[in-house]
Amino acid sequence: MSTSTGQQDLFEPETDKMTDAKAAKAAKDKADKNGRAAETAESMAKRQREISVSEFFTKNRHLLGFDSPRKALLTAVKEAVDNSLDACEEARIQPDIVVTIARIGQSEKQFTMTVEDNGPGIVKAQVPNVFGRLLYGSKFHRLRQSRGQQGIGISAAGMYGQLTTGAPVRVRTKPGKKSVPLAFEIKIDTARNRPEFKDTVIEWDKDHGTEVAIDMEGEYRRGQKSVEEFLKLMAVANPHVKLTFKDPDGNVTEYNRGTNELPKEVEEIKPHPHGVELGILLKMMAESENRTVSAFLQQDFSRVGPGVAKEICDKAGIKPETNPSRLDAAAVQKLKAAIDATKIMAPPLSCIAPIGEDLILAGLKKEVEADFYVATSRRPVVYRGHPFAIEVGIAYGKPGDTLHMTDAGKIVEVATKKPENQEVLMGNADEPIRLIRFANRVPLVFQQSACAITKAVIATNWKNYGLQQPRGSLPIGPMVVFVHIASVWVPFTSESKEAIASYDEILEELRLGLMEAGRKLGTHVRKGKKLANEFKKRNYIETYIPHLVVALKDILKLDEKEAVKARENLTVVLEKSRKL
Amino acid sequence: MSTSTGQQDLFEPETDKMTDAKAAKAAKDKADKNGRAAETAESMAKRQREISVSEFFTKNRHLLGFDSPRKALLTAVKEAVDNSLDACEEARIQPDIVVTIARIGQSEKQFTMTVEDNGPGIVKAQVPNVFGRLLYGSKFHRLRQSRGQQGIGISAAGMYGQLTTGAPVRVRTKPGKKSVPLAFEIKIDTARNRPEFKDTVIEWDKDHGTEVAIDMEGEYRRGQKSVEEFLKLMAVANPHVKLTFKDPDGNVTEYNRGTNELPKEVEEIKPHPHGVELGILLKMMAESENRTVSAFLQQDFSRVGPGVAKEICDKAGIKPETNPSRLDAAAVQKLKAAIDATKIMAPPLSCIAPIGEDLILAGLKKEVEADFYVATSRRPVVYRGHPFAIEVGIAYGKPGDTLHMTDAGKIVEVATKKPENQEVLMGNADEPIRLIRFANRVPLVFQQSACAITKAVIATNWKNYGLQQPRGSLPIGPMVVFVHIASVWVPFTSESKEAIASYDEILEELRLGLMEAGRKLGTHVRKGKKLANEFKKRNYIETYIPHLVVALKDILKLDEKEAVKARENLTVVLEKSRKL
């Protein structure tokens, strides 16, 4: 740099150094006017260097969900719970998770977040990498549904803890009954994105499992967007999980299992040819162990048999037995065009595990008291070669606000009772509905307005289903709408995984799912309105019949028995005339 | 994995292999019921591996702004232009940039994007890294304002080109008159995040400069969110730049300089002690070359002199001559607390270069025809130790829609003319205002609703300034609002740098800047309304005075000369009475 501001200028900007500074500035101005380069290619080159991914995310920690102390606590819990559930399900273990948030000393600003699971544990060599290195993991390269997918989350939580308290991440893990339990203290060297750690053999009275504890700056609050609410929503979408939450004040909340069945085991798939982009195809061909294009197509993709492989090669004008490494870029372009022009069976759907209508209903009923429930689980489809499925659930109407017809056909007003969890999940009749969003069974708590799910709910015409809806807004009413996307790769709008990107295929499926559930809701809402009208009318009848009967009794000189009979008959006739 | 689905199952799902598959499934179900681990810590460990940052962003390319072909073209132009302008300004060269978008063959789906500058060039050894490696650059570690800051952008554009067309990035560069011009072809090995390249000596009739050309899938359109619009906005915030745009149909648009002065040269600063977090402080101390805490505080931070250093050490109960490496974590915590409790001068502001009120007005006047212009450039302040400044400009009122007072005090209706660029930048009187957002002089085109700037504009009460404003929305009116944030580190909501994260300090400065400009606007809008009323009244007077004069002439038997005089006097009296 041509500017020669020394250290002193910064420290003592108003000293007698100003004369020098002025002279330097004059010289610089002159240099500028002469068009002389203040910096040159050479001077710039000296500063060029690699940026470690940890440094990048330390400076950009809001991208990872660590932008405020309050959010940080929730994000850390989310990442740890995600990992525990993924590990338990892969190992086919019914998850039993304990989340604890405790103050450090008397501090209201520093907390220890601890998540303990009964999962399969982690082998010694991998522990430091899993917790002390960003972009490291087993889920990124694999095409199958899981909560984690980036290899960033839990290390990022640890990095945030280290940044704000200087403390290392503490991990205890035991991979099986006969394994030796180990405790680790792990720090991230952010300049290299590598762990620094020490480990010790410990006693741990547990068959298998992992516990991670992170000290961090945080802010603990209840209510909306709290750890508590996140865990409640987690329980809605994961009825197979037992969750225990211990808050900083010593309160313990338990979410018990609604089912003993684990989600269907998901299988890894190969990429589908229709999703592949040219650059990826070139890379796959370069890396393939197969020696003919035909074998390459069949072995490295899903849904390509010998017939389809031959069809593709024919269309591309390439001999099936050509060695893939001998095709030039132009030939691969032709191959790509041929793939796109060939009909190929949709990818196998064994790679994803939607929740299913029954369990969505069970989850909603467990956590939301409502008058009416409906769920829709759509058949999986594909975006960019990635299978995904959309599921929608609706819980409508606060008990007490609505009318019921008894089995005997009698309409009654149900006594208002205060459902235990209602204040958290369902709003009032004159408030916007409550939208709860999930991706691969994980609740999405932040960035609602940036999410494709929200956009799809707003774009749906809820007036068709009997609800009010201000233009460009969520509908109004006592309703919880549950939306879940299950996919081998969920496209999030940022690394913090808070909102879904608006891919056209995803928006379209959301639209269809919401309409499907909406139609069923509409029938109920209209029936409810009809019932309410009936109720009013019937009250009217019941009010006036006695007066009618008194008059009739008078006019026709009826005795008491005849009057009772007349009253019964009148009621029957009037009700019939209303065609109930 | 215990699931034994072979390749065949995926290819021929409806063959006689089903019996085997069923048997395997039955065995697996049984395994599940027995609680046996389908996966173990060992089997999972085998799949754990590093994820390269290039692979990560290939799969997540929407994070980089490459989610649709249309957006991809604009994002690539933005990244290339950002780099060119940064390089020119650092080298104190008046930028002259040529952007070309050309179809590849007759394709409507594939384009070559070329950006050529007259910058300082790039030295041979750095070219492959700059264009073929993500998270590599000179701007990330430096505290001074620049357009680029992440070391991702241009390599990401190249990676997208490679992904969609298979073609390498082509670069020509010449670092100076006497340098040998070179041409490069560069590909990214995404698995390693490293460049593969070849270079050749070429002829290039140019003193110095760089040209980058990328073949990519794209979609070319005009209008909102187009390359054209981006360049127009670029010209608004960068009046010192000459921009030439050649579109795919051969049209050439030129944006000429509005000033010959380069932006103020920015200087790199050291971190300010008040912004530093504990983890960073620990790291800085570990890496410091200074042997005493006092020297460390003075040399490694800005605004700490001997006095302040002593005050901090005293408060922390640490001797100033202690070696930093000998402090334990608890002592460093105390040091941090002492720093926070000490008054320290705000960081030097030489690191940022706001545009300034005059040039904002010049830029707006150059590209938006309006009736009234106002600009506010706020004094820089600090968030998390990072200096930043907010600037607001307003262009209000379409010529032709409003009234003017001439120098002689006469109110006239201006004839409606069609300003050249108006259709792009300013809406009609009954439409929401047009908000144009900038960060470090770069227009932000996408994700308007997610941006702190938009939130601040919506939160401002524009009714105070005479505009209509629906609740929770942008105000209504013929108005362009220009907002600029200049900072050493702009916190974007994603790597694509499309929206600003909502830090409290930034929201507050935005609020103050908008209010400041809004008040000046309010005076004008109210004056405009008053003028409109005056105009109506005056028309009234001018309509009736002749009749009055005729009547007076009649009653008082005035001659022609006296009648003219009476008319003049009457007009003066009436205008006076209205206190014009």
Side-chain angles (χ1 to χ4, degrees):
Chain A
M1 283 174 58
S2 73
T3 62
S4 59
T5 349
Q7 210 56 44
Q8 277 81 357
D9 285 335
L10 297 175
F11 301 150
E12 305 153 42
E14 274 131 61
T15 66
D16 53 359
K17 304 255 168 196
M18 287 312 271
T19 339
D20 287 7
K22 267 185 198 162
K25 191 174 177 304
K28 194 188 71 185
D29 288 349
K30 188 158 168 288
D32 289 352
K33 281 192 190 106
N34 293 346
R36 214 193 69 199
E39 287 262 6
T40 63
E42 288 71 29
S43 67
M44 288 181 195
K46 284 186 195 125
R47 280 195 316 270
Q48 297 279 6
R49 50 183 271 211
E50 185 172 4
I51 301 151
S52 117
V53 66
S54 312
E55 289 174 319
F56 177 77
F57 283 118
T58 299
K59 214 161 170 179
N60 276 320
R61 58 188 163 84
H62 57 274
L63 295 182
L64 301 173
F66 293 99
D67 27 350
S68 75
R70 185 173 179 196
K71 202 169 156 186
L73 217 45
L74 170 50
T75 303
V77 167
K78 180 178 89 162
E79 299 296 349
V81 171
D82 283 3
N83 285 357
S84 288
L85 292 183
D86 276 349
C88 285
E89 287 168 23
E90 284 191 41
R92 309 309 289 161
I93 297 168
Q94 289 198 347
D96 188 344
I97 317 271
V98 182
V99 177
T100 310
I101 294 184
R103 289 188 187 85
I104 297 181
Q106 299 302 311
S107 174
E108 286 297 333
K109 284 186 178 170
Q110 294 202 327
F111 295 85
T112 302
M113 180 229 61
T114 310
V115 173
E116 182 183 346
D117 67 39
N118 62 338
I122 304 169
V123 300
K124 183 176 174 181
Q126 291 301 339
V127 175
N129 284 325
V130 167
F131 294 95
R133 194 165 161 184
L134 269 67
L135 288 180
Y136 188 90
S138 62
K139 301 167 194 168
F140 180 85
H141 292 94
R142 197 171 65 168
L143 286 179
R144 60 177 263 192
Q145 175 181 336
S146 55
R147 292 174 184 78
Q149 59 186 31
Q150 308 177 136
I152 294 182
I154 193 66
S155 320
M159 200 168 73
Y160 172 77
Q162 178 177 326
L163 181 71
T164 54
T165 68
V169 173
R170 299 183 302 282
V171 177
R172 296 199 286 176
T173 191
K174 188 179 175 190
K177 249 186 183 167
K178 287 170 196 163
S179 305
V180 181
L182 292 171
F184 288 79
E185 292 204 348
I186 305 163
K187 286 204 169 198
I188 303 182
D189 175 351
T190 53
R192 297 186 307 125
N193 187 32
R194 287 292 181 280
E196 288 170 352
F197 66 97
K198 57 179 182 195
D199 58 287
T200 351
V201 172
I202 52 162
E203 297 279 312
W204 203 18
D205 181 25
K206 200 176 175 104
D207 280 357
H208 48 80
T210 301
E211 180 196 77
V212 53
I214 301 175
D215 293 346
M216 59 171 67
E217 214 176 277
E219 190 189 322
Y220 183 77
R221 283 207 223 151
R222 285 171 221 287
Q224 290 229 342
K225 300 185 183 178
S226 66
V227 172
E228 229 176 338
E229 191 196 63
F230 171 80
L231 294 175
K232 175 192 287 288
L233 292 172
M234 200 63 161
V236 171
N238 298 272
H240 62 291
V241 176
K242 178 163 190 271
L243 269 174
T244 307
F245 175 49
K246 302 179 182 171
D247 80 6
D249 302 318
N251 304 313
V252 178
T253 315
E254 293 216 344
Y255 302 92
N256 289 311
R257 278 186 242 288
T259 172
N260 284 322
E261 258 184 65
L262 282 171
K264 184 188 89 177
E265 193 167 6
V266 286
E267 284 160 18
E268 186 174 347
I269 62 163
K270 306 222 166 198
H272 189 270
H274 278 172
V276 76
E277 283 173 296
L278 186 65
I280 303 285
L281 184 61
L282 283 162
K283 191 169 169 239
M284 286 175 73
M285 292 186 96
E287 288 169 1
S288 178
E289 284 166 7
N290 288 294
R291 310 292 287 271
T292 71
V293 173
S294 173
F296 163 72
L297 289 171
Q298 292 181 61
Q299 301 296 317
D300 291 6
F301 289 101
S302 66
R303 300 306 201 197
V304 182
V308 169
K310 188 171 178 306
E311 191 184 336
I312 293 170
C313 289
D314 286 354
K315 280 188 188 157
I318 294 167
K319 283 188 187 147
E321 57 274 19
T322 315
N323 190 315
S325 64
R326 294 188 48 204
L327 295 184
D328 61 11
V332 178
Q333 285 236 21
K334 277 186 196 154
L335 193 69
K336 166 99 172 71
I339 287 173
D340 290 342
T342 303
K343 228 181 156 171
I344 304 170
M345 191 191 286
L349 303 173
S350 50
C351 56
I352 58 173
I355 301 173
E357 295 177 2
D358 291 348
L359 285 180
I360 293 172
L361 291 175
L364 280 175
K365 284 177 183 167
K366 197 154 69 79
E367 304 298 335
V368 189
E369 295 240 17
D371 190 42
F372 174 77
Y373 300 88
V374 63
T376 289
S377 179
R378 290 197 47 87
R379 217 181 149 277
V381 292
V382 171
Y383 84 94
R384 269 197 199 161
H386 301 317
F388 75 100
I390 295 295
E391 303 185 288
V392 176
I394 289 178
Y396 177 85
K398 285 192 182 186
D401 283 2
T402 47
L403 297 162
H404 286 254
M405 203 183 337
T406 63
D407 288 339
K410 197 163 163 56
I411 305 174
V412 292
E413 237 176 330
V414 174
T416 303
K417 61 171 175 166
K418 180 97 183 140
E420 195 184 334
N421 304 305
Q422 191 173 291
E423 63 280 18
V424 177
L425 286 179
M426 194 185 293
N428 289 317
D430 55 354
E431 288 171 5
I433 63 151
R434 181 71 195 284
L435 173 61
I436 54 179
R437 301 170 289 133
F438 298 84
N440 288 357
R441 295 171 181 260
V442 181
L444 309 180
V445 173
F446 298 99
Q447 294 198 32
Q448 176 163 302
S449 65
C451 186
I453 292 176
T454 312
K455 288 174 191 164
V457 171
I458 288 175
T460 301
N461 187 352
W462 293 92
K463 288 178 183 166
N464 288 345
Y465 314 127
L467 294 178
Q468 290 185 302
Q469 185 179 20
R471 199 190 166 115
S473 303
L474 291 175
I476 305 291
M479 182 160 91
V480 176
V481 173
F482 163 108
V483 182
H484 180 227
I485 172 170
S487 180
V488 294
W489 183 261
V490 180
F492 291 106
T493 59
S494 87
E495 287 83 349
S496 57
K497 305 197 286 181
E498 296 166 340
I500 315 287
S502 299
Y503 279 89
D504 287 344
E505 298 90 337
I506 294 175
L507 283 173
E508 175 62 7
E509 275 298 306
L510 284 166
R511 190 179 74 83
L512 294 170
L514 288 162
M515 277 173 62
E516 213 172 300
R519 275 191 296 264
K520 294 181 202 168
L521 170 73
T523 311
H524 170 80
V525 172
R526 277 186 292 269
K527 209 168 80 185
K529 284 188 177 163
K530 208 177 137 198
L531 278 181
N533 286 338
E534 290 300 337
F535 189 70
K536 270 195 209 155
K537 277 192 204 153
R538 184 174 299 196
N539 270 342
Y540 191 81
I541 292 166
E542 282 169 359
T543 307
Y544 289 97
I545 284 182
H547 297 281
L548 260 173
V549 172
V550 169
L552 286 173
K553 198 178 159 193
D554 233 36
I555 294 164
L556 304 177
K557 315 277 175 205
L558 304 178
D559 62 22
E560 202 52 42
K561 210 173 155 191
E562 282 169 320
V564 168
K565 188 142 194 211
R567 181 186 186 143
E568 278 167 5
N569 287 343
L570 257 174
T571 306
V572 169
V573 168
L574 283 166
E575 291 206 346
K576 253 192 206 149
S577 76
R578 290 183 299 112
K579 293 192 176 70
L580 189 73
Chain B
M1 285 173 57
S2 73
T3 63
S4 60
T5 351
Q7 209 57 45
Q8 278 80 358
D9 286 335
L10 297 174
F11 301 151
E12 305 154 40
E14 273 128 65
T15 66
D16 52 1
K17 304 259 168 195
M18 287 313 271
T19 339
D20 289 6
K22 268 186 197 158
K25 189 173 178 306
K28 193 189 71 187
D29 288 349
K30 187 157 169 286
D32 289 353
K33 284 196 187 100
N34 293 347
R36 214 193 71 198
E39 287 263 5
T40 63
E42 288 71 29
S43 68
M44 287 182 196
K46 284 185 195 128
R47 282 195 316 272
Q48 297 278 7
R49 50 181 273 213
E50 184 171 4
I51 300 151
S52 116
V53 65
S54 312
E55 290 175 318
F56 177 77
F57 283 119
T58 299
K59 215 161 172 180
N60 276 321
R61 58 188 163 83
H62 56 274
L63 295 183
L64 301 173
F66 293 98
D67 29 349
S68 76
R70 186 174 178 196
K71 201 169 155 186
L73 216 44
L74 171 50
T75 303
V77 167
K78 180 178 88 162
E79 299 297 350
V81 171
D82 282 4
N83 285 357
S84 288
L85 292 183
D86 276 349
C88 285
E89 287 167 21
E90 283 192 40
R92 311 308 291 162
I93 296 168
Q94 288 198 347
D96 187 345
I97 317 272
V98 182
V99 177
T100 310
I101 294 183
R103 289 188 186 85
I104 297 180
Q106 299 301 310
S107 172
E108 287 295 335
K109 284 186 179 169
Q110 294 203 327
F111 295 85
T112 303
M113 179 230 61
T114 310
V115 173
E116 184 185 345
D117 67 40
N118 62 338
I122 303 169
V123 299
K124 184 175 173 181
Q126 290 300 339
V127 176
N129 284 326
V130 167
F131 294 94
R133 193 166 163 185
L134 269 66
L135 287 181
Y136 188 91
S138 61
K139 300 168 195 168
F140 179 85
H141 292 94
R142 200 171 62 170
L143 286 180
R144 59 178 264 191
Q145 175 181 336
S146 54
R147 293 174 183 78
Q149 58 186 32
Q150 308 178 136
I152 293 182
I154 194 66
S155 320
M159 199 168 74
Y160 172 78
Q162 177 177 327
L163 182 72
T164 53
T165 68
V169 173
R170 298 185 302 282
V171 177
R172 296 200 285 176
T173 192
K174 189 178 173 190
K177 249 185 183 168
K178 289 171 195 161
S179 307
V180 180
L182 292 171
F184 288 79
E185 293 204 347
I186 305 163
K187 286 204 169 197
I188 303 182
D189 175 351
T190 52
R192 296 187 307 124
N193 187 33
R194 287 293 180 279
E196 288 169 351
F197 67 99
K198 58 180 180 194
D199 58 288
T200 352
V201 172
I202 52 162
E203 298 278 311
W204 203 18
D205 182 24
K206 202 175 173 102
D207 281 356
H208 49 80
T210 301
E211 181 197 76
V212 54
I214 302 175
D215 292 347
M216 58 171 69
E217 216 175 277
E219 192 189 321
Y220 183 76
R221 284 205 223 151
R222 283 170 224 287
Q224 290 227 341
K225 300 186 183 178
S226 65
V227 172
E228 229 176 338
E229 191 196 62
F230 171 80
L231 294 175
K232 176 193 287 289
L233 292 172
M234 200 61 159
V236 171
N238 298 270
H240 63 292
V241 175
K242 179 165 190 273
L243 270 173
T244 308
F245 176 49
K246 301 179 181 170
D247 81 5
D249 302 318
N251 304 314
V252 178
T253 315
E254 294 215 343
Y255 302 92
N256 289 310
R257 279 186 240 289
T259 171
N260 283 323
E261 257 185 65
L262 283 171
K264 184 188 89 176
E265 192 167 4
V266 285
E267 285 161 19
E268 186 174 349
I269 61 163
K270 307 224 165 196
H272 190 270
H274 279 171
V276 74
E277 283 173 296
L278 186 66
I280 302 286
L281 185 61
L282 283 162
K283 193 169 167 239
M284 285 175 73
M285 292 186 96
E287 288 169 359
S288 178
E289 284 165 7
N290 288 294
R291 311 293 286 273
T292 71
V293 173
S294 172
F296 163 72
L297 289 171
Q298 291 181 63
Q299 301 296 316
D300 291 5
F301 289 101
S302 66
R303 300 306 199 195
V304 182
V308 171
K310 187 171 180 307
E311 191 184 337
I312 293 171
C313 289
D314 287 352
K315 280 187 188 157
I318 294 166
K319 282 187 187 146
E321 58 273 18
T322 316
N323 190 317
S325 63
R326 295 189 47 204
L327 295 185
D328 61 10
V332 177
Q333 284 236 23
K334 276 187 198 155
L335 193 68
K336 165 102 172 70
I339 287 173
D340 291 342
T342 304
K343 226 178 158 173
I344 303 170
M345 193 192 287
L349 304 172
S350 50
C351 56
I352 58 173
I355 301 173
E357 296 178 1
D358 291 348
L359 285 179
I360 293 173
L361 291 175
L364 281 174
K365 285 177 181 167
K366 196 154 70 79
E367 302 299 335
V368 189
E369 293 239 18
D371 190 43
F372 173 78
Y373 301 88
V374 63
T376 289
S377 180
R378 289 196 49 86
R379 218 184 148 276
V381 291
V382 172
Y383 84 93
R384 268 197 199 160
H386 300 317
F388 76 100
I390 296 294
E391 303 185 287
V392 176
I394 290 179
Y396 176 84
K398 285 191 182 186
D401 283 2
T402 48
L403 297 162
H404 287 254
M405 203 185 335
T406 62
D407 288 339
K410 196 162 165 56
I411 305 172
V412 293
E413 236 175 331
V414 174
T416 304
K417 60 171 176 168
K418 180 96 181 141
E420 196 184 333
N421 305 305
Q422 191 172 291
E423 62 280 17
V424 177
L425 288 180
M426 194 187 291
N428 289 318
D430 55 352
E431 287 170 6
I433 63 150
R434 181 70 196 287
L435 173 61
I436 54 179
R437 299 170 291 133
F438 298 84
N440 288 358
R441 295 172 180 260
V442 181
L444 308 179
V445 174
F446 298 100
Q447 295 198 32
Q448 177 163 302
S449 65
C451 186
I453 292 177
T454 312
K455 289 175 192 164
V457 172
I458 288 175
T460 301
N461 187 353
W462 293 91
K463 288 178 184 167
N464 287 346
Y465 314 128
L467 293 178
Q468 290 185 303
Q469 185 179 21
R471 202 191 164 113
S473 303
L474 291 176
I476 306 290
M479 182 160 92
V480 176
V481 173
F482 163 108
V483 182
H484 179 229
I485 173 172
S487 180
V488 293
W489 183 261
V490 180
F492 291 105
T493 59
S494 87
E495 287 83 349
S496 58
K497 304 196 287 180
E498 295 166 340
I500 315 288
S502 300
Y503 280 88
D504 287 343
E505 297 90 336
I506 294 175
L507 283 173
E508 174 62 7
E509 275 299 305
L510 285 166
R511 190 179 76 83
L512 294 172
L514 289 162
M515 276 174 61
E516 211 171 302
R519 276 191 295 263
K520 294 181 203 170
L521 170 73
T523 310
H524 170 80
V525 171
R526 276 186 293 270
K527 205 167 83 186
K529 285 186 177 165
K530 206 176 137 200
L531 278 182
N533 287 338
E534 289 300 335
F535 188 69
K536 271 194 210 155
K537 276 192 206 154
R538 184 174 300 196
N539 270 342
Y540 191 79
I541 293 167
E542 282 169 359
T543 307
Y544 290 96
I545 284 182
H547 297 280
L548 258 174
V549 171
V550 169
L552 286 173
K553 200 178 156 192
D554 233 33
I555 296 165
L556 306 177
K557 314 283 175 200
L558 304 175
D559 64 21
E560 203 51 44
K561 211 175 154 191
E562 283 169 321
V564 168
K565 187 145 194 208
R567 181 184 186 146
E568 278 166 3
N569 286 342
L570 258 174
T571 306
V572 168
V573 169
L574 282 167
E575 292 206 344
K576 253 191 204 150
S577 78
R578 289 185 298 111
K579 295 191 176 70
L580 188 73

